[in-house]
Amino acid sequence: MEIALLLYDRLAPLDAVGPYEVLRNVPGWEVRTVAKGKGPVRSEDGSLALLADFELGEVISPDLVLVPGGAGSRPLIDDEELLDWLREVDRATKWTTSVCTGSLLLGAAGLLEGRRATSNWLLLDAMRRFGADPVGGRFVEDGKFITAAGVTAGIDMALHLVAREVGPEIAQAIQLGIEYDPDPPFDSGSPEKAPPEIVELVRRVAGEGDPLVRGAN
């Protein structure tokens, strides 16, 4: 299984690294980090760098493509070079996946037209502009497309993918190996569970820096 993990400047690191930590542990699977240019890309705040080993044109027929989200996904919605690459690799993939706002890039490439999909809860309605049918949940599978909700949901999606491909035993072994046993101190990880004042605070702060969030609300 050849996996293309897309990287770009101002991505959310855990969107990429969470699924990577799951997928890299499957025997025989190879994760290739790919970007418009080889070299480091920076996280949303610029404090962390991830390294892209391949350029877009060097990875053209992966079995699985994974698109993370982050603030840097917004300008890429109009980047035809990247969108063309997504359209091209999607022709050969067995799975086309995204985490958080990475689904906006799949949508902008026209790949989610008429499909059920999810994204960060703040931007679910924004997916309608690309013809997607936004739904909640940690991840949504529609055909060969699997979209995960915000950030940490990418780990859940990756474990689901492993189970689908090589069986639940391997997925469970990887989950145990990385000790993925969430027990957060607060039960506020979704807008349905968080106190209303916290939901409003996050919505307001996010909207101040993101026109798509403002437009979706």
Side-chain angles (χ1 to χ4, degrees):
M1 179 79 77
E2 179 187 336
I3 299 159
L5 174 56
L6 179 67
L7 301 180
Y8 53 84
D9 279 318
R10 300 183 67 216
L11 85 170
L14 190 56
D15 284 14
V17 175
Y20 164 82
E21 187 61 29
V22 173
L23 301 176
R24 77 171 185 88
N25 276 292
V26 181
W29 287 21
E30 178 185 8
V31 181
R32 295 184 175 185
T33 51
V34 57
K36 293 185 68 174
K38 295 180 183 179
V41 299
R42 289 281 171 179
S43 59
E44 290 175 307
D45 66 355
S47 64
L48 179 68
L50 298 177
L51 188 67
D53 291 324
F54 298 89
E55 296 181 355
L56 298 180
E58 295 178 304
V59 181
I60 57 174
S61 57
D63 301 293
L64 187 157
V65 63
L66 193 151
V67 183
S73 64
R74 311 307 191 269
L76 296 178
I77 287 174
D78 299 311
D79 188 319
E80 284 301 318
E81 179 186 1
L82 178 64
L83 298 182
D84 281 344
W85 179 78
L86 286 173
R87 297 181 189 111
E88 184 63 29
V89 297
D90 176 68
R91 294 175 182 173
T93 58
K94 185 173 185 180
W95 299 102
T96 295
T97 71
S98 65
V99 180
C100 198
T101 57
S103 59
L104 298 179
L105 297 182
L106 296 184
L111 302 179
L112 297 181
E113 182 78 32
R115 295 188 178 277
R116 298 169 65 253
T118 194
S119 187
N120 183 285
W121 66 273
L122 287 163
L123 287 159
L124 280 176
D125 284 344
M127 296 182 65
R128 298 186 191 278
R129 65 183 280 191
F130 304 115
D133 176 16
V135 296
R138 292 290 282 175
F139 57 85
V140 176
E141 181 177 337
D142 188 332
K144 72 170 186 175
F145 297 88
I146 309 182
T147 52
V151 191
T152 59
I155 299 173
D156 295 7
M157 179 190 71
L159 288 167
H160 171 73
L161 266 169
V162 172
R164 294 277 275 118
E165 279 293 311
V166 296
E169 295 82 5
I170 300 298
Q172 290 175 78
I174 291 173
Q175 181 177 356
L176 177 58
I178 65 175
E179 205 166 345
Y180 179 53
D181 186 24
D183 185 20
F186 305 104
D187 191 19
S188 60
S190 75
E192 293 78 23
K193 297 178 179 178
E197 63 273 18
I198 299 299
V199 174
E200 183 54 35
L201 172 65
V202 172
R203 194 189 305 274
R204 176 170 54 80
V205 172
E208 288 173 357
D210 193 333
L212 276 179
V213 172
R214 292 197 297 273
N217 298 283

